[in-house]
Amino acid sequence: MTSFCPICKKPIRSSQILCDACKTQLDGECFDSLLSRCPRCDYPILSQDYRCTMCQEPDFAKVHCVARYDGILSYAVLDSFKFHSESSLASVVALYLSRAIEKLDPRHEALLVPIPCSKESLKRNGWDHMLMVCRHLDRPYMQLLVQGKDRPQQKRLDRKGRMEGSLDRFKINSHYEKDLESLKSRKVIVIDDICTTMSTIKSGIRTLKDMGFPDVMGASWLLDILASGDDFQGNMF
């Protein structure tokens, strides 16, 4: 049976997820092909001599983001996957998100916690896109739930609105309560498709830390570096 690239639909070998051309372009949009990283928080920086400001924030958390949100192909893939129900692209998101997870957890000990989609997105697509990515990653995971009513989409808010809207946003699925004490011994990586202000992924991290999980980090495929709050780094592109 012939396999096809989920992006450009050209034939590929059965061992491939993407065709060579699409993979080359997406690889070129990854931060590690251009930049250094802060040794403390993994945030992309210009060089190891640059003093990262993300570590100075009171809600500091280690979050490894793989690629640029403003990359031409990465943006197109995310838009098609997240907003136009192209479920086949979950394998692409998983392929690049796995780079962050491998950096944070090379021994494969961590429990993944995907950021849940909004009720609006679930109604539109009929599936939770990050849960689908988790299944492609083939690692153990634990689900969070969105608390209360849907809040405005992050892309419709300014930075202040995004930060405020993420407060107390999540709770753990009650399904895990009976095993909660044993689960707390695990390293946890909260995963999402994109970070803008990082407010959503940090809300997930904070929820788990408040519940007593001692070792919680974050991983995301894309980072909107222009919205993340570091003006110096935001001006470098």
Side-chain angles (χ1 to χ4, degrees):
M1 183 176 177
T2 304
S3 298
F4 297 91
C5 175
I7 297 176
C8 68
K9 312 305 181 187
K10 292 180 180 178
I12 56 174
R13 297 185 297 276
S14 59
S15 59
Q16 291 181 296
I17 293 176
L18 295 173
C19 72
D20 293 338
C22 288
K23 187 174 185 302
T24 296
Q25 184 168 345
L26 285 175
D27 285 351
E29 294 173 1
C30 291
F31 288 122
D32 290 342
S33 66
L34 301 169
L35 302 166
S36 300
R37 288 186 183 272
C38 171
R40 185 176 180 220
C41 71
D42 271 1
Y43 195 83
I45 56 176
L46 292 170
S47 72
Q48 291 296 331
D49 297 328
Y50 177 70
R51 185 169 179 266
C52 176
T53 62
M54 299 300 286
C55 298
Q56 315 307 315
E57 296 186 357
D59 59 344
F60 155 75
K62 188 169 188 174
V63 178
H64 189 106
C65 300
V66 176
R68 297 168 52 177
Y69 172 67
D70 63 344
I72 295 171
L73 191 55
S74 57
Y75 178 86
V77 169
L78 181 67
D79 183 69
S80 296
F81 174 54
K82 193 168 184 175
F83 300 110
H84 299 284
S85 303
E86 290 286 346
S87 59
S88 64
L89 294 171
S91 61
V92 180
V93 180
L95 176 66
Y96 285 91
L97 192 54
S98 66
R99 294 188 180 190
I101 296 168
E102 288 292 329
K103 290 278 189 179
L104 297 171
D105 180 42
R107 297 175 65 180
H108 290 220
E109 297 173 339
L111 189 66
L112 302 185
V113 177
I115 291 292
C117 71
S118 67
K119 295 171 186 176
E120 177 186 338
S121 178
L122 189 61
K123 183 178 179 180
R124 179 182 64 244
N125 294 331
W127 40 270
D128 185 316
H129 63 287
M130 286 309 299
L131 200 56
M132 185 174 287
V133 169
C134 238
R135 290 166 181 158
H136 278 275
L137 289 165
D138 195 26
R139 283 201 184 206
Y141 63 86
M142 179 175 66
Q143 290 178 263
L144 292 175
L145 298 175
V146 177
Q147 293 201 97
K149 296 180 179 179
D150 258 358
R151 307 180 191 194
Q153 287 188 6
Q154 294 284 72
K155 66 178 183 177
R156 299 173 184 167
L157 302 173
D158 59 17
R159 178 177 173 80
K160 181 180 179 182
R162 293 180 184 192
M163 301 298 285
E164 291 175 349
S166 68
L167 297 174
D168 303 319
R169 187 175 182 181
F170 304 114
K171 63 181 179 181
I172 198 165
N173 191 321
S174 59
H175 171 76
Y176 303 101
E177 288 179 356
K178 65 181 186 302
D179 301 315
L180 202 54
E181 290 308 310
S182 62
L183 289 171
K184 287 178 184 178
S185 65
R186 302 281 297 270
K187 177 190 292 186
V188 176
I189 302 176
V190 178
I191 63 170
D192 204 359
D193 51 4
I194 178 172
C195 289
T196 49
T197 60
M198 292 200 180
S199 58
T200 299
I201 201 165
K202 285 183 179 179
S203 180
I205 291 170
R206 185 169 56 247
T207 296
L208 294 165
K209 285 187 173 181
D210 289 347
M211 293 184 67
F213 286 82
D215 190 359
V216 189
M217 298 175 287
S220 173
W221 175 31
L222 302 181
L223 170 66
D224 185 354
I225 206 163
L226 296 175
S228 62
D230 193 322
D231 293 335
F232 180 81
Q233 294 170 86
N235 287 333
M236 65 184 165
F237 295 122

